[in-house]
Amino acid sequence: MSYQQHWLRGDVLAGVTVAAYLIPQCMAYGELAGVEPVAGLWAILPPMIIYTLLGSSPQLSVGPESTTAVMTAAAIAPLLTPNGSNYSSLAALLALTVGGICVVGYVARLGFLADLLSKPILVGYMAGVALIMIAGQLGKISGLSFEAETILGEVQEFLSRLHQIHWPTFILAALVLSFLFIVQRRFSTVPGPLIAVLLATAAVALFNLDEKGIAVVGAIPAGLPYPQLPSVTLDDALSLIASAIGIAIVGYSDNALTARAFAARNGYKIDANQELLALGLSNVGTGLLQGFPVSSSGSRTVIGDSLGSKTQVFSLVALVVVVTVLLFLRPLLALFPNAALGAIVIFAATKLIEVPEFIRLQQFRRTELALALITTIGVLATDILVGVAVAVGLSVIDLFARVARPHDAVLGEVPGLQGLHDIQDWQGATTIPGLVIYRYDAPLCFANAENFKQRALEAIAAETSSVQWFVLNTEAIVEIDITAVDMLSELHRELASQNITFAMARVKQDLYAQLKRSGLLMTIGVDHVYPTLHTAIARFEAAHPAGNRMERPE
């Protein structure tokens, strides 16, 4: 797809604003991971290039993020030397290992696992991430430092310490947040976040707000890293494999969920398997530049989206800004107030909570709403991976239940309406005397074989006239397994003992081949397998003229 000129404005504005946000954010994540803060900036550089070239999402921002940063610190802690001199090498090795695992997943084509992430899970996940983002900014906008390590704990601590709020910080954050909402409502095309950052920085410079207790980003180290392999032992490498697998799972889950959520919002597709390759090589690049494991950032992605990012050009713009800042403009960034950045994140997070989608899910099916809410609660109460895993498990169970107990129908004729229809859906619908045409709306497998047989026999028993033929309409049965083959053989024998002919109609070629390989086709008889329902009905009527059909004895 060729680049369209009118996209450039949105991509440039998004790139500059995302860069303004990610510089302090990535430095904080570097500290959170246990490495030097500047390593957070180093870790963002390779993904900006690699993901732009290989990623399938035009909007996703890949780089340092909180979850993988925390997991990095936890994985490395047991392997540290007494003076901690091997920390940066272990972090880089962990990134390389995570990258290798993702690349192996790409080669094995494991990207299909992302297909288990349904719409309710996406809606619930983004809402949970948004609430995590908001809670994570409470300290920045209030000037408080929290000891709590959970979302609920942070909120409780914030509420219990309202009397300790640094009011100048809180007022600045409130003004920035109000400004953002006003601009969004009245001037939707204006780059509100970028203007907010510039105005807040100007206010700090003009009124010396940093001397009045308002925290700013502060000095940023100079220089750029150079590629090198980490210096570690084989034992260290082996010890990190289990942690790397866990981080790879978390990172890819976050990557796929965020990419799919924005793809659904903006009407494009992503390649889940390609995301594995892009994420893997991004981590490899980060590891070579002495960084730490990375994944996608929902906050940076939503900031870019809010400013109209259309392609990964916004990442290249952000890259130019970051490199320029690292080399020339560090003093300017030192005056960025953390409260303003926190307000921007909160503003961005509110866009991730799609209340209308929750309402739509509730109106469509309550189980869909339950999946979304469970995902949100799971993400908040445990962690992102556990919450998503629980929701995926429940989603699979819900799907399995629908396959195991699908809709079925006995087909009949409706006066004044052509064709055959579910007799339960139409008043006055009747079956053809002596003939039961039965449709089962799912593939036949071990999970529903007995259910199928029971409901088929119930359909026969419900007829008022004596049944002479039972025709299975297989339009929804695309395949069967060996358990279903055995069940159909049993049903054939049972019907034969009652002098009822078993036939099949609308058999697809793939299903026909399976019937032939299993030997069931020979049991049923090729002459009792029909291409259409009408040919089956015609054959039945030829074998059993209307005068020869018997009423069921009372």
Side-chain angles (χ1 to χ4, degrees):
M1 179 178 62
S2 59
Y3 192 85
Q4 300 182 28
Q5 188 174 357
H6 67 272
W7 292 346
L8 185 60
R9 179 179 181 274
D11 283 338
V12 170
L13 290 174
V16 173
T17 308
V18 167
Y21 171 64
L22 70 82
I23 289 172
Q25 183 197 50
C26 291
M27 292 177 66
Y29 289 160
E31 192 168 345
L32 184 61
V35 298
E36 292 294 325
V38 71
L41 294 180
W42 295 346
I44 192 68
L45 300 178
M48 285 180 168
I49 299 174
I50 295 171
Y51 189 84
T52 295
L53 297 175
L54 298 176
S56 65
S57 170
Q59 293 185 291
L60 195 65
S61 176
V62 175
E65 57 88 31
S66 59
T67 306
T68 52
V70 172
M71 294 181 72
T72 296
I76 291 175
L79 304 177
L80 288 178
T81 57
N83 61 3
S85 60
N86 63 337
Y87 201 109
S88 59
S89 293
L90 289 173
L93 175 64
L94 188 59
L96 288 170
T97 309
V98 169
I101 290 169
C102 289
V103 171
V104 169
Y106 165 76
V107 173
R109 305 197 65 79
L110 298 180
F112 72 90
L113 295 174
D115 293 337
L116 296 177
L117 308 175
S118 62
K119 176 71 173 183
I121 292 178
L122 292 175
V123 172
Y125 168 81
M126 296 306 288
V129 169
L131 294 174
I132 290 174
M133 289 166 59
I134 293 171
Q137 304 307 309
L138 293 178
K140 287 184 180 180
I141 67 172
S142 64
L144 299 175
S145 179
F146 299 140
E147 296 181 359
E149 297 181 353
T150 64
I151 302 302
L152 183 60
E154 288 180 348
V155 174
Q156 289 177 336
E157 189 172 349
F158 173 76
L159 295 175
S160 66
R161 296 175 60 189
L162 288 176
H163 60 286
Q164 298 177 358
I165 285 179
H166 185 256
W167 287 106
T169 297
F170 188 78
I171 291 172
L172 177 61
L175 288 174
V176 171
L177 192 58
S178 300
F179 172 81
L180 291 171
F181 279 114
I182 291 172
V183 169
Q184 179 193 36
R185 178 178 291 272
R186 297 188 177 180
F187 312 100
S188 58
T189 59
V190 172
L194 177 58
I195 296 174
V197 168
L198 295 176
L199 290 176
T201 303
V204 171
L206 291 174
F207 302 109
N208 298 319
L209 297 181
D210 53 328
E211 298 177 3
K212 298 177 182 179
I214 292 181
V216 295
V217 170
I220 297 175
L224 295 175
Y226 58 90
Q228 66 179 31
L229 290 172
S231 177
V232 292
T233 65
L234 179 61
D235 289 341
D236 288 338
L238 294 176
S239 299
L240 287 174
I241 290 178
S243 297
I245 292 173
I247 294 174
I249 293 173
V250 171
Y252 177 65
S253 297
D254 191 24
N255 202 86
L257 280 165
T258 306
R260 284 191 58 186
F262 282 92
R265 280 166 164 248
N266 296 305
Y268 56 83
K269 300 287 186 180
I270 68 161
D271 184 333
N273 209 55
Q274 186 68 20
E275 288 300 300
L276 273 172
L277 177 63
L279 180 62
L281 293 183
S282 293
N283 272 279
V284 170
T286 297
L288 292 176
L289 289 189
Q290 302 102 61
F292 54 92
V294 298
S295 180
S296 65
S297 169
S299 59
R300 296 195 297 270
T301 304
V302 76
I303 287 173
D305 179 59
S306 68
L307 285 166
S309 66
K310 297 297 183 183
T311 71
Q312 283 295 328
V313 168
F314 93 93
S315 290
L316 298 179
V317 172
L319 172 66
V320 172
V321 173
V322 172
V323 172
T324 302
V325 167
L326 285 172
L327 295 177
F328 308 111
L329 302 178
R330 298 186 310 282
L332 177 63
L333 287 183
L335 294 179
F336 277 18
N338 290 334
L341 294 172
I344 290 175
V345 174
I346 291 175
F347 171 73
T350 60
K351 294 190 172 187
L352 297 181
I353 304 175
E354 299 181 289
V355 175
E357 282 299 311
F358 281 97
I359 296 174
R360 188 166 76 96
L361 292 174
Q362 191 275 334
Q363 293 173 341
F364 176 70
R365 186 183 292 135
R366 289 185 178 180
T367 56
E368 304 277 300
L369 174 64
L371 283 173
L373 293 175
I374 289 171
T375 304
T376 301
I377 294 170
V379 168
L380 295 175
T382 55
D383 58 50
I384 289 177
L385 180 62
V386 174
V388 171
V390 169
V392 168
L394 291 174
S395 183
V396 171
I397 291 173
D398 181 54
L399 173 63
F400 192 74
R402 291 201 294 270
V403 171
R405 300 294 182 269
H407 177 268
D408 69 341
V410 173
L411 303 182
E413 298 171 325
V414 179
L417 188 64
Q418 292 184 344
L420 297 169
H421 307 276
D422 185 347
I423 61 174
Q424 295 296 323
D425 293 342
W426 298 90
Q427 186 174 2
T430 58
T431 59
I432 299 172
L435 173 64
V436 171
I437 302 175
Y438 180 71
R439 190 187 71 213
Y440 196 72
D441 296 334
L444 285 179
C445 62
F446 68 94
N448 58 26
E450 286 304 314
N451 175 260
F452 167 87
K453 181 180 177 183
Q454 174 188 344
R455 291 163 75 177
L457 292 174
E458 288 173 354
I460 293 172
E463 287 294 297
T464 56
S465 61
S466 180
V467 175
Q468 296 164 307
W469 272 40
F470 175 87
V471 176
L472 175 61
N473 177 4
T474 67
E475 62 182 297
I477 303 175
V478 294
E479 63 178 4
I480 59 175
D481 64 10
I482 197 65
T483 304
V485 168
D486 292 343
M487 177 275 299
L488 290 174
S489 296
E490 293 173 7
L491 178 62
H492 177 268
R493 287 195 297 271
E494 190 167 338
L495 294 181
S497 68
Q498 301 176 36
N499 294 320
I500 298 175
T501 298
F502 180 89
M504 302 175 77
R506 304 195 67 178
V507 178
K508 299 178 177 63
Q509 289 298 318
D510 289 345
L511 178 59
Y512 189 90
Q514 291 177 333
L515 295 174
K516 187 174 182 179
R517 288 197 302 270
S518 68
L520 186 59
L521 184 61
M522 183 176 296
T523 301
I524 298 172
V526 176
D527 55 337
H528 286 135
V529 176
Y530 302 97
T532 67
L533 290 175
H534 292 296
T535 53
I537 293 171
R539 182 67 185 85
F540 164 75
E541 290 176 340
H544 300 279
N548 294 339
R549 299 175 197 167
M550 299 177 292
E551 295 296 321
R552 180 182 293 275
E554 298 295 335

